[in-house]
Amino acid sequence: QVQLVESGGGSVQAGGSLRLSCAASGATYRSNYWGWFRQAPGKEREGVGYIYTVNGRTDYADSVKGRFTISLDNVRHTVYLQMDSLKPEDTAMYYCAAHFASSYQGGTKLREAEYNYWGQGTQVTVSS
């Protein structure tokens, strides 16, 4: 059974940076792609960005483009979310997700339905 564990959340002032990590355990093969999502109080969970394992291709939600960067360590089965120039509106619970399966389809991966494993979430709070 694959388990995803996030770490690195915390509190930071606006303009600051945080790096979230998400490590997978129990996997006997690498994931096809990883994603980061977030959910602010009273709002629906939204996709932040994703990365394809095979070629490292990434894409991001417009709200974080140019500020957030996703990277992947295939050896350690760990994905990272580097968050720079943080804003108060980035405050949310952040979740990592991964897709482990024998096959997959390409395309954008900012939808929750594209993933079959989820972490428990880590809180990010940005103060003004």
Side-chain angles (χ1 to χ4, degrees):
Q1 180 72 8
V2 176
Q3 289 188 321
L4 305 181
V5 179
E6 299 105 332
S7 60
S11 298
V12 65
Q13 289 191 327
S17 298
L18 281 174
R19 189 175 84 151
L20 307 183
S21 301
C22 175
S25 62
T28 56
Y29 49 94
R30 69 180 188 180
S31 67
N32 298 312
Y33 49 86
W34 299 74
W36 284 97
F37 290 75
R38 66 185 182 185
Q39 186 168 23
K43 294 187 177 181
E44 293 186 353
R45 190 152 56 181
E46 62 174 352
V48 172
Y50 61 90
I51 184 167
Y52 274 100
T53 304
V54 65
N55 56 16
R57 184 173 77 85
T58 58
D59 197 11
Y60 303 90
D62 289 342
S63 58
V64 305
K65 276 183 180 177
R67 300 188 298 121
F68 289 12
T69 304
I70 296 174
S71 59
L72 178 63
D73 184 335
N74 276 319
V75 174
R76 294 180 174 82
H77 297 291
T78 300
V79 66
Y80 304 95
L81 178 65
Q82 177 67 40
M83 304 184 292
D84 298 318
S85 302
L86 283 162
K87 305 176 181 179
E89 51 264 44
D90 293 319
T91 295
M93 184 71 78
Y94 282 72
Y95 300 88
C96 74
H99 183 266
F100 287 84
S102 58
S103 64
Y104 66 99
Q105 293 184 341
T108 183
K109 300 301 180 188
L110 288 175
R111 297 186 306 130
E112 294 181 58
E114 299 285 352
Y115 298 85
N116 53 2
Y117 290 95
W118 291 82
Q120 81 289 351
T122 185
Q123 179 67 38
V124 171
T125 302
V126 184
S127 58
S128 57

